[in-house]
Amino acid sequence: MNLHGLRLFHAVVKHGGITRAAEELSISQPAVSSQLRKFEQELGVTLFVAVGRKREASDAGKQLMEYAERLFKLEQEVDGYVAGIRSGKKGLVRITATYLPSNFLLPAWIARFKQLYEDVELVISTTNTRKAFDELLSYEAEVALYGGSGISQPGVHWDELFEDDMWFVVHPDHRYAGQEVELGDMVAEPFIMREEGSATRERLFSLCSTFNVAAPRIALQFNGLNETISAVKAGYGANFISSLVVKEDVRHGRLARVRVKGVHLKNKLAVCTRAGEKLSPAAQHLVELIRQEAAKLHRKE
């Protein structure tokens, strides 16, 4: 099929004659007439019939016009889609996030993003640190949102957003609530922690190794952040966690902080991408919005 010829035919029928079609396409009338005859010959189909002094589309021409309308409408949709992809107003962004940002930061940020870019599809997975970076490096995700110690990872570009403090927390009725204790005494308590692969869990074990104290006993293990907090609120065990997660609970007396002598650890929040790779336009918009929202949050803190 000669698409140029089909486009000429479509324009002539749509605009009711060669003169208007030539003006619309910025082509001379003789050129339109010549190419239209050639198109008709190539098809071997009579596209126009004489009706008085006018030429109108034949029955076959009218049917072809319907196909042409559908084809060129689809072409416009494709052009619009590609333009949307280029501008970042359309597309698909896959995000992987560790539990802290996924539960406590990302929902509000995503809601804000969707208000600005409604037609961008977002697919979000929540997992631990190890799996988050696996997903990023295996192209299962384009962006990773990370909360943890800021561990180095080959092939990953880090864009640090801000830091918060790591706290030990217990139930308000616990004997250590509001106290300052030695690390050895703190980790002698039963701990409620996340699964292996969690950066926070690994940091607690590393902290014990650094201070040469016995590793804590993991009395309960959950594959989620909210579950670990709920267990401590219910009155059992202790937790080592980002202050961002529990600050409100401590403020309102649902949890209590325990200060540990000599321990002052920070938690890094970062947006991560594959090093040396250009993000899709939609992902670029998302990362920029995350930076802006994180900066607002950090100023409030």
Side-chain angles (χ1 to χ4, degrees):
M1 171 65 70
N2 181 343
L3 289 180
H4 177 64
L6 182 64
R7 199 178 300 278
L8 290 176
F9 165 76
H10 176 265
V12 169
V13 176
K14 179 180 178 180
H15 296 291
I18 289 176
T19 302
R20 289 282 309 280
E23 292 174 355
E24 185 71 20
L25 298 172
S26 300
I27 303 175
S28 69
Q29 292 183 42
V32 172
S33 298
S34 173
Q35 293 178 48
L36 198 57
R37 284 194 300 271
K38 182 180 178 182
F39 177 62
E40 199 170 24
Q41 290 169 0
E42 288 174 353
L43 293 181
V45 175
T46 300
L47 298 178
F48 293 95
V49 293
V51 179
R53 300 178 61 183
K54 295 183 178 181
R55 296 178 72 216
E56 295 184 358
S58 66
D59 288 341
K62 291 175 181 177
Q63 185 65 51
L64 182 62
M65 184 62 180
E66 292 182 13
Y67 283 114
E69 287 278 2
R70 286 155 58 186
L71 176 62
F72 295 131
K73 183 178 181 181
L74 180 60
E75 181 186 45
Q76 291 176 346
E77 291 177 5
V78 171
D79 287 342
Y81 172 75
V82 172
I85 292 291
R86 284 199 303 263
S87 67
K89 294 180 179 179
K90 294 181 182 292
L92 168 66
V93 183
R94 296 186 184 276
I95 308 160
T96 183
T98 58
Y99 285 90
L100 167 60
S102 183
N103 283 276
F104 294 91
L105 298 173
L106 199 52
W109 295 350
I110 290 302
R112 174 63 177 153
F113 180 82
K114 290 294 284 185
Q115 290 171 358
L116 299 173
Y117 302 98
E118 184 178 359
D119 293 330
V120 175
E121 183 181 357
L122 301 175
V123 178
I124 305 163
S125 66
T126 302
T127 187
N128 60 43
T129 297
R130 189 182 304 163
K131 290 182 179 179
F133 288 122
D134 285 346
E135 289 181 11
L136 181 65
L137 294 173
S138 63
Y139 289 82
E140 295 176 55
E142 189 174 6
V143 176
L145 201 57
Y146 167 83
S149 62
I151 57 175
S152 61
Q153 183 77 20
V156 173
H157 171 73
W158 290 77
D159 187 356
E160 187 175 319
L161 302 173
F162 60 87
E163 291 183 329
D164 70 325
D165 295 319
M166 296 296 296
W167 286 1
F168 289 93
V169 293
V170 294
H171 188 271
D173 293 336
H174 193 283
R175 66 183 184 282
Y176 290 159
Q179 304 297 310
E180 184 177 51
V181 302
E182 299 289 344
L183 179 62
D185 293 329
M186 186 71 244
V187 297
E189 296 298 304
F191 268 74
I192 318 299
M193 296 297 292
R194 292 257 318 285
E195 77 285 358
E196 291 185 17
S198 158
T200 301
R201 175 175 172 147
E202 291 176 359
R203 289 186 78 186
L204 179 58
F205 277 74
S206 177
L207 178 67
C208 292
S209 177
T210 299
F211 280 78
N212 198 29
V213 300
R217 177 172 64 90
I218 307 302
L220 286 174
Q221 176 178 299
F222 292 99
N223 287 347
L225 196 57
N226 287 310
E227 295 88 339
T228 65
I229 302 166
S230 295
V232 179
K233 285 181 184 177
Y236 180 72
N239 203 335
F240 180 62
I241 198 165
S242 164
S243 62
L244 184 66
V245 176
V246 294
K247 192 169 291 185
E248 286 301 309
D249 285 322
V250 170
R251 183 176 295 144
H252 293 286
R254 294 184 289 266
L255 289 171
R257 184 182 176 188
V258 183
R259 287 174 171 77
V260 175
K261 295 177 182 177
V263 175
H264 305 284
L265 292 182
K266 295 285 186 179
N267 196 51
K268 294 182 183 294
L269 276 296
V271 58
C272 303
T273 54
R274 287 184 292 274
E277 290 191 20
K278 186 177 180 180
L279 291 172
S280 67
Q284 289 176 9
H285 289 321
L286 174 64
V287 169
E288 183 57 36
L289 181 139
I290 286 174
R291 290 193 190 109
Q292 293 171 0
E293 295 298 314
K296 293 177 187 176
L297 180 64
H298 188 47
R299 284 196 294 270
K300 288 180 182 179
E301 295 296 323

